[in-house]
Amino acid sequence: MAVFTHQVTMRWSDVNAYGIASDTAIASYVEETRAALIRKVVTATTVRESADHFAYLTVRQRIDYLMPVRWQEQPLELDLRVLLIRPAATELCVRLASEGHPVAEARILSTCWDTARNRPRLLNNEQREFLSQYLVPESRTSAAAPDSLERAR
């Protein structure tokens, strides 16, 4: 299983007077990592011909803060793994590390959305195969789908 790794550089505006990153800054780092993976999915698969009508939306995000994230010059490292691939959604786990220590972990439910039809769109086989390289093997059968995505199953 591969891990999708993304680095984020902290900005001075992300921290308070004590040099600790705000919750919203950490949420934006997680979103930036998810967006980097989605850009990679889009460029690596052939869905590009109609990508104007597709968006990858965050349906739910939960972040567990393990310890304060202090300002640092070197980029923060975020590791993303796919926990579950559903017909129209993926469940992701992003771990944020600072100076080699885990400081936060996020669980994200992301869905592929057809903006022209205003409804979820099924992931194609090529997208599923691409995401599978980041799939955690023991999580293939975890977690029931949330009520809001039951229709997408």
Side-chain angles (χ1 to χ4, degrees), residues 34-53:
R34 186 193 72 85
L37 174 70
I38 297 307
R39 281 191 300 275
K40 198 169 179 181
V41 168
V42 170
T43 57
T45 62
T46 57
V47 76
R48 280 174 256 129
E49 71 276 356
S50 56
D52 295 343
H53 297 291

Side-chain angles (χ1 to χ4, degrees), residues 92-107:
L92 309 170
C93 178
V94 177
R95 291 191 178 131
L96 169 61
S98 174
E99 298 175 351
H101 302 288
V103 293
E105 181 175 287
R107 295 279 180 123

Side-chain angles (χ1 to χ4, degrees), residues 103-118:
V103 293
E105 181 175 287
R107 295 279 180 123
I108 305 159
L109 182 62
S110 181
T111 188
C112 185
W113 193 261
D114 185 335
T115 59
R117 296 172 51 201
N118 200 28

Side-chain angles (χ1 to χ4, degrees), residues 2-16:
V3 175
F4 180 80
T5 301
H6 184 70
Q7 293 187 337
V8 177
T9 302
M10 294 182 79
R11 300 167 295 269
W12 279 111
S13 60
D14 293 344
V15 298
N16 62 20

Side-chain angles (χ1 to χ4, degrees), residues 99-147:
E99 298 175 351
H101 302 288
V103 293
E105 181 175 287
R107 295 279 180 123
I108 305 159
L109 182 62
S110 181
T111 188
C112 185
W113 193 261
D114 185 335
T115 59
R117 296 172 51 201
N118 200 28
R119 57 181 275 182
R121 180 187 68 79
L122 298 178
L123 295 166
N124 66 33
N125 288 338
E126 195 175 11
Q127 292 167 321
R128 294 172 69 77
E129 184 177 324
F130 182 85
L131 289 168
S132 291
Q133 70 182 309
Y134 303 112
L135 186 63
V136 176
E138 62 272 9
S139 67
R140 291 176 192 264
T141 58
S142 69
D147 296 336

